[in-house]
Amino acid sequence: MNVPSSSVENESEERVISEFEGQHSSSHPLSEIKSSMTKDLNFSSKIQDVESLPEKTNQDVKRNDIRFYRHQVAGHYPIFWKSGVICKPIQKNEHEFYLEVQKYAPQLVRFVPKYLGVVVMEYEELPQTPKGKSTPTKVSTEEKVKHGKKRENSDAYPFSQWGPHCHQKKRKAMQDRPTMRYIRLEDLTLPFSRPNILDIKIGTRVYGIGDDPQKIKRKIAKSASTTSHSLGLRLCGMQVFSSQQNTYTFRNKFYGRNLNESGLEEAIEEFFTHDGALRSRIVKHFLKQILELLDVVSKQKTFQFFSSSLLFICEGCQPTDQKRLHGGVKNGDFQRIDLRFIDFAQAARDIEKKGVDKGFLQGLQNIVSILRKLSEQERKRKRSVNNNVSKVE
């Protein structure tokens, strides 16, 4: 998305960043579980944790306070950013999951974004897609695989355009529901100067329990030739920052759908590569956290997860290179990472206590195998280099 040009917008974001830097170690309390939960998407229904936006006094100021989330790399609807919190269109199952997880599966809480309630916003208050700016489009399979990197001019396109792209695609649907509710979630990218982000969909089953037969048929057909079918993994979106070029490389879901198994492994390796070298330390850190998540998810019998994702976040810019960057947090820890379990629109209560779907566990096990393979390849490379040095000496 575009760099905010309004002074009001810049001041708002700098204030949030300043507050974060001053108290980033504190955590937001999870919203209290409500005894009477909202069970449908009726926008006129009452809910106790709704934050109503103030009355409009200056339309420009209000629009500047709500903007496209600049680090959205996947999803069907645009995600918005407001005062340091991301606002995601509410989905019944996802909302209920966030309301229930603390009570019924507290061991999962540390793996999911912090839930901060609900906000009501009107369509006319939302930012509009910038005119004259191109957004990601479907391209031919050959071009997609060959030129999957979407390199954009650092001045014109410094951030992901996926949010504006979703806005264009869903404009009519959003206009038909001018008043919408959004769940409020913590912005996981706040601690990072230039966050690298990888969204991997987990599981071989890509449809939910309540989907109609035709929708199920379409989803199965769409995923049959993808790595969701063979690995239980599929790349939904990715951004990787280059300090040398001062720009991001973007990959979207259209690219991910056309990757074979080796192509997916290469894309994951690209995410973990900086200046031509594999970041083996953070690979190990992510691997440790995925194994912990796998242990927790496999033991709980409260929820079933279909089409949920793993979100990988790590710093994309060395502290020494951040000095010349304009704006944003200056993150001195290049090894900082964050792994979260996200996207619960198809999550459901495990009424029969069957445990997590086998295809979901298969996906988690396969991402573990891929990261272990990367680590082993790097160890072999280093041993080979050390042996060659020893021979020269």
Side-chain angles (χ1 to χ4, degrees), residues 30-175:
L30 283 166
S31 297
E32 180 181 356
I33 304 301
K34 306 301 178 183
S35 58
S36 56
M37 290 169 44
T38 299
K39 294 297 183 182
D40 56 42
L41 294 180
N42 182 357
F43 296 130
S44 64
S45 63
K46 295 181 180 180
I47 184 167
Q48 297 178 16
D49 60 349
V50 169
E51 172 197 342
S52 297
L53 293 180
E55 292 296 322
K56 290 182 289 183
T57 55
N58 183 315
Q59 185 65 25
D60 291 334
V61 171
K62 181 171 287 297
R63 284 191 174 181
N64 285 334
D65 192 43
I66 305 172
R67 68 203 70 161
F68 291 111
Y69 182 48
R70 61 175 55 180
H71 296 303
Q72 180 179 356
V73 298
H76 298 288
Y77 276 83
I79 295 175
F80 299 99
W81 188 96
K82 181 180 184 296
S83 302
V85 175
I86 66 171
C87 304
K88 182 180 181 182
I90 202 165
Q91 297 279 350
K92 179 177 180 291
N93 287 1
E94 184 164 51
H95 188 210
E96 290 184 356
F97 169 80
Y98 278 113
L99 289 172
E100 295 179 343
V101 65
Q102 173 71 36
K103 181 177 181 180
Y104 297 108
Q107 67 275 25
L108 272 175
V109 170
R110 67 188 180 99
F111 294 105
V112 302
K114 291 183 179 68
Y115 169 74
L116 303 171
V118 175
V119 63
V120 176
M121 296 192 290
E122 296 181 8
Y123 179 79
E124 64 179 19
E125 297 168 333
L126 303 177
Q128 300 302 303
T129 306
K131 296 181 179 180
K133 301 298 184 183
S134 62
T135 56
T137 56
K138 293 182 180 180
V139 295
S140 69
T141 300
E142 180 180 358
E143 181 181 358
K144 200 180 313 176
V145 174
K146 184 178 180 181
H147 304 292
K149 300 176 183 179
K150 182 174 178 58
R151 295 191 181 277
E152 299 177 330
N153 179 276
S154 60
D155 294 324
Y157 300 97
F159 301 108
S160 171
Q161 292 295 294
W162 194 251
H165 165 75
C166 293
H167 185 267
Q168 286 187 349
K169 291 289 185 181
K170 299 294 185 180
R171 186 192 305 271
K172 181 63 167 59
M174 295 176 70
Q175 288 175 333

Side-chain angles (χ1 to χ4, degrees), residues 332-350:
D333 183 7
F334 190 56
Q335 304 303 323
R336 178 192 290 270
I337 69 165
D338 200 343
L339 176 81
R340 298 300 174 103
F341 190 26
I342 63 169
D343 294 341
F344 305 107
Q346 304 297 343
R349 288 292 296 274
D350 188 3

Side-chain angles (χ1 to χ4, degrees), residues 179-320:
T179 300
M180 292 183 65
R181 293 190 295 135
Y182 295 77
I183 57 172
R184 301 170 70 245
L185 301 172
E186 65 174 323
D187 180 359
L188 299 170
T189 67
L190 272 180
F192 301 88
S193 176
R194 292 296 184 267
N196 287 351
I197 300 173
L198 174 64
D199 184 322
I200 297 285
K201 187 180 293 293
I202 307 295
T204 56
R205 175 171 166 171
V206 294
Y207 58 90
I209 292 177
D211 287 346
D212 65 76
Q214 290 301 316
K215 188 174 185 180
I216 292 174
K217 186 177 180 180
R218 289 196 305 271
K219 288 186 174 182
I220 291 176
K222 184 180 291 185
S223 67
S225 61
T226 72
T227 51
S228 285
H229 179 74
S230 59
L231 293 175
L233 301 170
R234 187 168 83 237
L235 188 150
C236 290
M238 183 172 79
Q239 67 178 38
V240 180
F241 186 74
S242 168
S243 297
Q244 295 177 344
Q245 299 182 28
N246 192 30
T247 188
Y248 276 104
T249 290
F250 299 103
R251 295 184 185 271
N252 60 38
K253 68 176 183 180
F254 305 122
Y255 171 79
R257 286 177 187 169
N258 287 275
L259 291 174
N260 56 23
E261 294 182 15
S262 61
L264 177 62
E265 291 184 15
E266 291 173 3
I268 293 174
E269 182 177 5
E270 177 187 15
F271 175 77
F272 288 110
T273 301
H274 182 79
D275 289 343
L278 183 73
R279 301 175 65 180
S280 55
R281 183 185 298 182
I282 67 168
V283 171
K284 293 177 182 177
H285 291 168
F286 275 116
L287 181 57
K288 179 177 181 295
Q289 291 195 17
I290 295 172
L291 288 170
E292 292 174 359
L293 173 62
L294 177 59
D295 181 64
V296 170
V297 169
S298 62
K299 290 178 179 178
Q300 65 85 39
K301 292 187 178 181
T302 303
F303 297 102
Q304 288 278 2
F305 300 106
F306 307 111
S307 282
S308 293
S309 292
L310 280 186
L311 188 71
F312 298 75
I313 308 175
C314 65
E315 181 58 64
C317 189
Q318 288 275 12
T320 53

